[in-house]
């Protein structure tokens, strides 16, 4: 396995051949069988015997498709698929689920966790190969779209690295927003938008001069006029991409307020898109509990006081805030990204660039 870890293979171009498939199954004989079938058709196969191992491989290497057994000890195939989409952010990677014969529930669960396709066991070899062929062909088509999006994600992470002291801020926001969204029963598409929003919401700060963005004291009125443009700039950057529709709502409206006193459109109450209201609770919580160029990190107790006061003042959706504070009170550990959770490729590439070329204050 370690042969696969050489730096040269970490970020291969999207045109490389052969196609590489990750086979995830806890039963060794199943993996051997899948490897034999796929290798016979020219695929390079990497195996993982559990969900954790699969996620680790996915961070190390670029794959063209994943074949994922549903029933495994530890993380189920559904859990793994959800993490591939919502934590690693691989939206276009085909994930083919291996389910048992005739279980319609598996299909529903699979689609809710973001699976691309299903193959029922016992499978027919010809059919399996046909499904994998079609999945990787589809992936080549979407790679181009993925490239465009990757540029946006990388730009957003550049902003993050300037504006924030911690490197994994965006991933933390994504994680908290998805956890909060799931507790509200939001759909997969909505959770996906929240994950993207966590990374992209402040991308418009690209257009804000450093003198304002990094200012240590409070902003003057004219500086605020410029700062308040960041949701508008960000929404304009991302609007051309069809896949960003729900995310654009978050980007444009994450600083609206329940009482209409926010920006850029002064929307109020439920006119503020739901996803923006969900996201802003998490954004403000995170801004309060972490250090910014213009403020220290506040302890959680003080943060809760501020959130409650601002909700009473009419800033935030009171029902959503109450639900968020419940999670914070009852299951705070849920909101924490697992320690050592893998970074997605755009974060890792950027971390390397920053380590080689940035001044000390960013190396932290
Ligand atoms: P940000 O740092 O990501 O903050 C996001 C939001 O968290 C803020 O939106 C605000 O609602 C909340 N927040 C952050 N810090 C505090 C705080 O100390 N007290 C309270 N009560 N709420 C806080 P807002 O106000 O619309 O600000 C948007 C962005 O404008 C901020 O993003 C930051 O980049 C910038 N900004 C805000 N205030 C200042 C400031 O005093 N100095 C500088 N240099 N930038 C500021
Ligand atoms: C601050 O309190 O330092 C700025 C954040 C805000 O405008 O609420
Ligand atoms: C994606 O969602 O397509 C990429 C996510 C990222 O690179 O952060
Ligand atoms: Fe913002």
């Amino acid at each position: 396995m370690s042969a696969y870890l050489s730096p040269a293979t970490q970020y291969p171009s999207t045109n490389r051949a052969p196609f590489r498939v990750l086979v995830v199954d806890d039963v060794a004989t199943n993996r051997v069988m899948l490897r034999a079938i796929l290798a016979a058709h020219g695929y390079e196969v990497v195996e993982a015997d559990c969900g954790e191992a699969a996620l680790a491989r996915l961070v190390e290497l670029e794959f063209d498709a994943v074949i994922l057994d549903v029933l495994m000890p530890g993380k189920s195939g559904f859990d793994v698929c959800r993490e591939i989409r919502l934590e690693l952010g691989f939206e276009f990677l085909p994930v083919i689920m291996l389910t048992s014969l005739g279980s319609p529930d598996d299909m529903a669960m699979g689609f809710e966790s973001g699976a691309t396709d299903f193959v029922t066991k016992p499978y027919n070899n010809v059919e399996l190969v046909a499904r994998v062929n079609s999945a990787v062909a589809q992936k080549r088509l979407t790679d181009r779209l993925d490239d465009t999006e990757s540029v946006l994600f990388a730009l957003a992470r550049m902003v993050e690295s300037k504006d924030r002291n911690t490197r994994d801020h965006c991933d933390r926001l994504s994680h908290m927003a998805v956890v909060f969204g799931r507790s509200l029963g939001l759909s997969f598409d909505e959770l996906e938008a929240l994950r993207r929003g966590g990374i992209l919401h402040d991308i418009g700060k690209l257009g804000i001069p450093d003198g304002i963005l990094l200012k240590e004291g409070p902003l003057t009125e004219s500086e605020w006029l410029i700062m308040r443009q960041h949701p508008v700039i960000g929404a304009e950057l991302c609007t051309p991409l069809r896949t960003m529709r729900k995310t654009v709502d978050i980007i444009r409206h994450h600083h609206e307020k329940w009482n209409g006193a926010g920006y850029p459109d002064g929307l109020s109450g439920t006119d503020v898109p739901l996803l923006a209201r969900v996201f802003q609770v998490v954004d403000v919580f995170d801004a309060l509990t972490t250090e910014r160029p213009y403020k220290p990190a506040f302890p959680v107790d003080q943060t809760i006081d501020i959130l409650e006061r601002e909700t009473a003042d009419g800033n935030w959706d009171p029902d959503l805030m109450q639900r968020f504070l419940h999670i914070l009170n009852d299951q705070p550990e849920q909101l924490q990204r697992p320690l050592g959770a893998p970074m997605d490729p755009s974060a890792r590439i950027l971390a390397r660039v920053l380590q080689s070329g940035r001044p000390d204050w960013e190396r932290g």
Side-chain angles (χ1 to χ4, degrees):
M1 193 59 66
S2 62
Y4 289 116
L5 297 180
S6 72
T9 60
Q10 275 188 354
Y11 309 114
S13 90
T14 47
N15 293 323
R16 84 191 136 49
F19 292 109
R20 189 189 282 143
V21 178
L22 179 64
V23 166
V24 190
D25 198 310
D26 55 309
V27 181
T29 50
N30 292 348
R31 295 197 302 272
V32 169
M33 188 114 85
L34 284 164
R35 174 189 283 281
I37 297 165
L38 293 169
H41 288 83
Y43 284 97
E44 177 185 336
V45 177
V46 175
E47 297 178 23
D49 62 4
C50 65
E52 281 80 5
L55 293 166
R57 294 295 91 75
L58 283 162
V59 176
E60 292 159 6
L61 286 172
E62 191 178 329
F63 288 93
D64 297 290
V66 179
I67 299 180
L68 187 55
D69 187 32
V70 167
L71 274 181
M72 295 184 290
K75 285 185 203 287
S76 75
F78 300 129
D79 296 335
V80 175
C81 190
R82 210 175 283 123
E83 285 193 39
I84 288 173
R85 303 293 187 222
L86 298 175
E87 293 281 340
L88 296 184
F90 297 148
E91 297 177 18
F92 301 112
L93 177 65
V95 177
I96 299 169
M97 292 255 193
L98 291 179
T99 64
S100 322
L101 196 59
S103 42
D105 282 0
D106 276 7
M107 294 266 275
M109 288 270 286
F111 279 124
E112 260 314 293
S113 62
T116 318
D117 200 0
F118 297 86
V119 171
T120 47
K121 292 199 283 194
Y123 52 81
N124 166 307
N125 294 1
V126 176
E127 187 199 338
L128 179 86
V129 171
R131 298 286 186 90
V132 176
N133 286 345
S134 115
V136 299
Q138 180 69 35
K139 168 124 189 317
R140 289 292 150 112
L141 286 175
T142 51
D143 270 348
R144 226 182 267 169
L145 176 60
D146 202 9
D147 284 347
T148 314
E149 298 206 348
S150 298
V151 173
L152 291 178
F153 281 96
L155 286 173
R157 289 184 184 281
M158 296 290 299
V159 177
E160 161 193 26
S161 73
K162 254 206 297 207
D163 189 31
R164 320 275 201 247
N165 291 308
T166 54
R167 193 83 30 75
D168 64 348
H169 161 84
C170 285
D171 297 296
R172 221 180 32 224
L173 263 186
S174 288
H175 176 81
M176 287 196 290
V178 168
V179 168
F180 185 31
R182 277 185 81 182
S183 80
L184 299 168
L186 299 184
S187 71
F188 181 83
D189 286 351
E190 291 169 320
L191 299 181
E192 188 61 63
L194 286 170
R195 187 193 67 78
R196 291 160 158 251
I199 297 166
L200 296 172
H201 67 287
D202 273 347
I203 190 174
K205 284 181 179 174
L206 270 178
I208 308 300
D210 283 2
I212 299 177
L213 192 60
L214 305 179
K215 187 175 175 183
E216 288 178 12
L219 302 177
T220 65
E221 197 44 48
S222 59
E223 288 168 337
W224 260 117
L225 281 178
I226 295 168
M227 180 59 86
R228 286 201 191 103
Q229 289 301 306
H230 81 270
V232 178
I233 299 167
E236 275 171 10
L237 266 173
C238 297
T239 295
L241 286 180
R242 222 173 354 106
T243 51
M244 292 287 184
R245 232 188 58 238
K246 287 189 163 119
T247 312
V248 166
D249 274 352
I250 296 175
I251 298 171
R252 183 168 180 105
H253 299 297
H254 72 280
H255 289 299
E256 305 284 359
K257 289 188 174 158
W258 186 248
N259 58 15
Y263 59 93
D265 297 319
L267 301 182
S268 63
T270 53
D271 284 347
V272 181
L274 173 66
L275 290 180
R277 276 180 279 137
V278 170
F279 180 78
Q280 64 184 186
V281 168
V282 171
D283 186 39
V284 173
F285 170 77
D286 190 74
L288 291 169
T289 48
T290 56
E291 187 185 343
R292 295 290 151 99
Y294 62 94
K295 64 173 278 299
F298 299 137
V300 173
D301 285 357
Q302 192 181 342
T303 296
I304 292 174
D305 287 346
I306 295 172
L307 290 174
E308 284 176 341
R309 193 186 64 230
E310 291 192 344
T311 307
D313 288 348
N315 285 10
W316 318 120
D317 181 328
D319 178 45
L320 289 177
M321 183 60 78
Q322 194 188 7
R323 288 164 188 255
F324 180 77
L325 292 176
H326 269 138
I327 300 178
L328 192 60
N329 191 48
D330 298 346
Q331 300 156 295
E333 70 287 347
Q334 273 209 49
L335 295 171
Q336 304 233 315
R337 258 187 119 229
L339 267 184
M343 287 192 281
D344 69 69
S346 74
R348 295 201 316 160
I349 291 167
L350 191 68
R352 286 213 307 206
V353 171
L354 292 178
Q355 264 157 20
S356 57
R358 287 286 177 140
D360 286 338
W361 60 269
E362 286 202 335
R363 290 188 199 167

